[in-house]
Amino acid sequence: MKKQSMERLAAKEENSLAKETIKVSGMTCVACANSIEKALQKKAGIKEATVNFAAEKVIVLYDITKTNRREMVTVIEGLGYGVPAEASAEVQASLDQEAREQAALLARKRIVIFAMSVTAIIEIIMLLEFRYHFHLPYHNWIMLVAATPIVFWAGLPTHRGAWRSISHGNTNMDVLISLGTLAAYSWGIVAFFLPYTVSFMGISGMIMSFHLLGRYLEAIARSKTSSAIRKLLELGAKTARIIVDGIEKEISVDQVQAGDVIVVRPGEKIPVDGEIIQGYTTIDESMVTGESLPAEKTVGDQVVGATINKNGFIQFKATKVGKDTFLAQIIRMVEDAQGSKAPIQELADKVTSYFVPVVILVSLSTLTGWLLLGGVEALDRAVFAAIAVLVIACPCALGLATPTAIMVGAGIGAERGILIKDATSLQALLDVDTIIFDKTGTITKGEPSVTEIISTGELTEDELLRLAAGGEKGSEHPLGQAIVRAASERALTLDGATDFQAIPGKGIRAIIAGKDVLLGNRKLMSEMEIQTDSMENTVAGLEDQGKTAMMIAVDRQLAGIIAVADIVKEDSRRAIAALTKAGLTTAMLTGDNERTAKTIALQVGIDRILAQVLPDQKEAEVRRLQEEGRVVAMVGDGINDAPALAQANVGIAIGSGTDIAIEASDITLIRGDLTSVVTAIRLSRNTFKIIRQNLFWAFAYNVLAIPIATSGHLSPAIAALAMAMSSVSVLLNSLRLRRQKLDTEL
């Protein structure tokens, strides 16, 4: 009783959980992201909070009975960060966000142009002063006039960010830059009154200018990492023509409601998902299926938003609108994947949480050390080195190393029809050594057809087919649908079935036209004590050809065999060959008999066969392989194979069009071909290769740069430029993913 109560409580809690994605502005480095995460995780009702600094968003899993979005926004704004207003439509919000980003980039560009122009003047003056010993009159005053607007006007957002962070008990990149520039500027003021003292007034302006330049270049590169979302948004239609009281009316696509009747002419985009109620056409569904040939559509067929109507006039009823459309689901899944964290990021997060305080301590220690041991000009050297330490350190590079690569990788996957649930799934794919494939609809096309009808002599072929189809009428199983389709092609009239019984993994039993009909495999016939010896050789011969032979018994007597064949997909052999060549073990899981399974396996080059596995046993087979020490990926249709997909280390659902189980898998292949499995593995390997490079260089940069700065051999201005370029280099390295090949060779 106690266990049942606990289960009910857990189920209730799970049902009350919701996920919210909140856009956040004002973050300057990963330390900001960490402070937001910690604050949200302390709030009652929040189960999990993940902040992606690169994507500038937080994904929150929370209990709707204990908290809500408004309270989360209050926490974020209480820390001093901004949250843009929530828009009414997700797609429109994303488009508005893009416009805001472009406007912000333009504003930054103007400030950077001003700062760098003045910095160029400062550099010329410093070059004349220190290299050619040409002393300008009022040299220090010129530097003061030049540096002041850069430090206090152009750099005002940086100082505000630093104050906001410190006032809430946190430290971030703005704190280091603000301290560095203000220290250099203040020392420049002191130099007015201390003879024989080097002024750092000009250097203060240079530090801020190079910092702003780096932030601008970083913003440009970061916007490119999310280009996949923009490309997806561009696929959608902007307007729709609905029929109101018999009159066509053009409205914005976000105003369309479920049930509206929509008119689409040749060459126009389908605005939302729906069902055709009038007309015939062909539709370009390449963005969904990857197929270049248009699909024929008529009354009763489903249409998908963002596909293109080629040559017919149609009317359809909207069934899914707004956030429920296929395109919106893809966009939401890509955004979630881009905003998620990979396990490999944990080390970088731990380091950056202590990074800024440690750098400040190192800077103070450097200042003290040089004052005590610096000898002649110790004061100048101490300030010089301490400022260099502050501005050379770069937690941003560490914070950007993983999320930028994940953003690019998830976007590339979406463009190729590979939807990745989160970064953890992408990383888990790296360690997979065994890939299990479901047979029907995965290795094969899943559209079998009847190839032979063999009678024992008591009934004709048409009579056998009519009885079998009467039992399978309404069936969702591919084999049953093939039998019904064959009966329809022969224009047979089907009798209704009574006392219908589906026997999972074996077949069916029903009363049809007063006859007791059994249709299924050997197991069913054996359990029902039907003698099949006379047809065993025939069945074996069919199975050797890779066909599924279903026996039919009428009134407890074997009446014949119906053979059904499912064609292997064109790309299956090529994909499995690539996986085998890469050292991965491949296996096939099927409810078919072993002889048929072996024939299909031989055609495609599968290593291991798990045949005659009932639907409820698939999960156990996956678990058994895991107990052998294997890291397993399961590739199935995402519906019948849901338990096995969930049990696998990585569940890969193959879908077709809108019939995809996005929530049932870690990775969804919306185009349904097995080469996408190879592409997904290659994408995983490429992404994490880039992440390791990013992390190595980010760590190496800080490990090498900070000691050089403490030694006093690094100009603070050069340090600021190097700091800015370290973040930009990480972003540019992540963008290299777009140029790497994702062919079918691993």
Side-chain angles (χ1 to χ4, degrees), residues 450 452-454 464-465 468 483 519 548-550 552 560-564:
V450 173
E452 283 99 358
I453 302 173
I454 302 169
L464 281 175
L465 184 58
I483 291 173
L519 177 66
T548 299
M550 291 181 285
I552 181 169
I561 300 169
I562 298 178
V564 178

Side-chain angles (χ1 to χ4, degrees), residues 601-644:
L602 186 63
Q603 288 181 40
V604 297
I606 288 280
D607 299 327
R608 185 168 176 172
I609 302 166
L610 303 169
Q612 292 182 304
V613 180
L614 298 178
D616 58 351
Q617 295 174 345
K618 291 185 177 182
E619 179 186 7
E621 290 292 341
V622 173
R623 192 184 301 110
R624 187 164 62 82
L625 286 172
Q626 290 172 326
E627 288 170 354
E628 293 177 10
R630 297 179 180 273
V631 181
V632 179
M634 171 72 191
V635 185
D637 62 13
I639 301 170
N640 297 330
D641 302 315

Side-chain angles (χ1 to χ4, degrees), residues 17-145:
L17 292 181
K19 184 182 285 187
E20 185 82 35
T21 300
I22 303 172
K23 194 77 176 174
V24 180
S25 62
M27 292 190 293
T28 58
C29 73
V30 75
C32 300
N34 290 339
S35 66
I36 294 172
E37 270 187 11
K38 290 176 182 176
L40 286 172
Q41 287 168 351
K42 289 178 182 177
K43 181 166 179 56
I46 293 181
K47 301 295 182 183
E48 185 180 329
T50 303
V51 179
N52 187 319
F53 165 57
E56 296 183 312
K57 66 178 66 172
V58 54
I59 298 175
V60 186
L61 183 66
Y62 67 101
D63 187 336
I64 59 176
T65 64
K66 297 180 180 178
T67 188
N68 54 49
R69 177 188 171 92
R70 181 63 256 168
E71 292 181 0
M72 297 177 217
V73 170
T74 300
V75 171
I76 296 169
E77 291 178 338
L79 294 172
Y81 302 98
V83 177
E86 188 178 15
S88 58
E90 289 188 11
V91 171
Q92 190 60 44
S94 298
L95 291 172
D96 290 346
Q97 179 61 29
E98 182 185 355
R100 286 194 295 268
E101 287 176 357
Q102 292 302 316
L105 275 177
L106 182 60
R108 281 189 179 187
K109 181 180 179 180
R110 290 169 178 161
I111 292 173
V112 167
I113 290 173
F114 165 78
M116 293 305 298
S117 299
V118 177
T119 296
I121 297 171
I122 291 174
E123 289 176 342
I124 292 171
I125 294 173
M126 292 180 67
L127 182 65
L128 292 173
E129 178 76 18
F130 296 108
R131 181 71 181 270
Y132 298 104
H133 306 292
F134 180 78
H135 299 285
L136 290 173
Y138 306 106
H139 167 273
N140 285 347
W141 286 102
I142 294 173
M143 287 295 193
L144 176 65
V145 172

Side-chain angles (χ1 to χ4, degrees), residues 338-642:
Q338 290 184 334
S340 63
K341 282 189 179 181
I344 197 173
Q345 193 176 341
E346 291 178 2
L347 176 61
D349 284 349
K350 287 180 181 178
V351 171
T352 51
S353 64
Y354 299 103
F355 192 90
V356 176
V358 169
V359 169
I360 292 173
L361 288 175
V362 172
S363 179
L364 291 173
S365 300
T366 300
L367 179 69
T368 303
W370 275 101
L371 287 175
L372 295 175
L373 306 172
V376 180
E377 299 180 346
L379 188 57
D380 286 337
R381 291 184 177 184
V383 175
F384 186 88
I387 294 172
V389 169
L390 285 174
V391 298
I392 192 64
C394 188
C396 290
L398 285 171
L400 291 168
T402 300
T404 51
I406 294 295
M407 287 177 70
V408 176
I412 292 171
E415 291 170 10
R416 292 173 175 261
I418 301 168
L419 302 183
I420 300 160
K421 194 167 191 177
D422 52 37
T424 301
S425 302
L426 192 62
Q427 183 168 339
L429 200 56
L430 281 176
D431 301 320
V432 167
D433 55 33
T434 302
I435 300 185
I436 301 175
F437 295 93
D438 178 46
K439 181 177 79 70
T440 305
T442 302
I443 293 175
T444 63
K445 289 188 175 181
E447 296 179 357
S449 57
V450 173
T451 58
E452 283 99 358
I453 302 173
I454 302 169
S455 174
T456 58
E458 297 295 326
L459 299 171
T460 65
E461 288 186 9
D462 282 358
E463 287 172 332
L464 281 175
L465 184 58
R466 185 169 61 246
L467 290 172
E472 294 287 4
K473 187 167 59 176
S475 171
E476 294 182 359
H477 195 284
L479 299 181
Q481 290 176 344
I483 291 173
V484 174
R485 195 162 50 246
S488 176
E489 290 169 358
R490 296 194 184 195
L492 300 178
T493 302
L494 303 185
D495 296 313
T498 58
D499 295 333
F500 177 84
Q501 181 184 3
I503 306 167
K506 298 171 186 175
I508 64 167
R509 182 176 188 175
I511 302 298
I512 303 170
K515 300 180 184 296
D516 183 3
V517 178
L518 288 169
L519 177 66
N521 56 23
R522 286 188 182 86
K523 282 185 177 180
L524 179 62
M525 298 300 155
S526 176
E527 287 182 5
M528 296 300 174
E529 299 180 351
I530 306 297
Q531 292 297 320
T532 61
D533 294 344
S534 61
M535 303 291 282
E536 278 298 330
N537 289 337
T538 305
V539 171
L542 293 169
E543 290 174 348
D544 285 341
Q545 298 172 40
K547 299 174 182 178
T548 299
M550 291 181 285
M551 298 182 183
I552 181 169
V554 179
D555 293 333
R556 313 293 296 176
Q557 296 294 320
L558 184 65
I561 300 169
I562 298 178
V564 178
D566 191 2
I567 302 171
V568 171
K569 291 179 181 177
E570 293 82 356
D571 68 318
S572 292
R573 182 172 183 80
R574 182 159 51 100
I576 290 167
L579 296 170
T580 303
K581 185 179 178 181
L584 297 172
T585 299
T586 56
M588 183 172 69
L589 198 60
T590 178
D592 253 340
N593 63 80
E594 192 162 347
R595 186 182 283 112
T596 301
K598 279 184 178 179
T599 302
I600 298 295
L602 186 63
Q603 288 181 40
V604 297
I606 288 280
D607 299 327
R608 185 168 176 172
I609 302 166
L610 303 169
Q612 292 182 304
V613 180
L614 298 178
D616 58 351
Q617 295 174 345
K618 291 185 177 182
E619 179 186 7
E621 290 292 341
V622 173
R623 192 184 301 110
R624 187 164 62 82
L625 286 172
Q626 290 172 326
E627 288 170 354
E628 293 177 10
R630 297 179 180 273
V631 181
V632 179
M634 171 72 191
V635 185
D637 62 13
I639 301 170
N640 297 330
D641 302 315

Side-chain angles (χ1 to χ4, degrees), residues 622 626 632-634 643-651 666:
V622 173
Q626 290 172 326
V632 179
M634 171 72 191
L645 287 168
Q647 176 61 37
N649 299 87
V650 181
D666 300 306

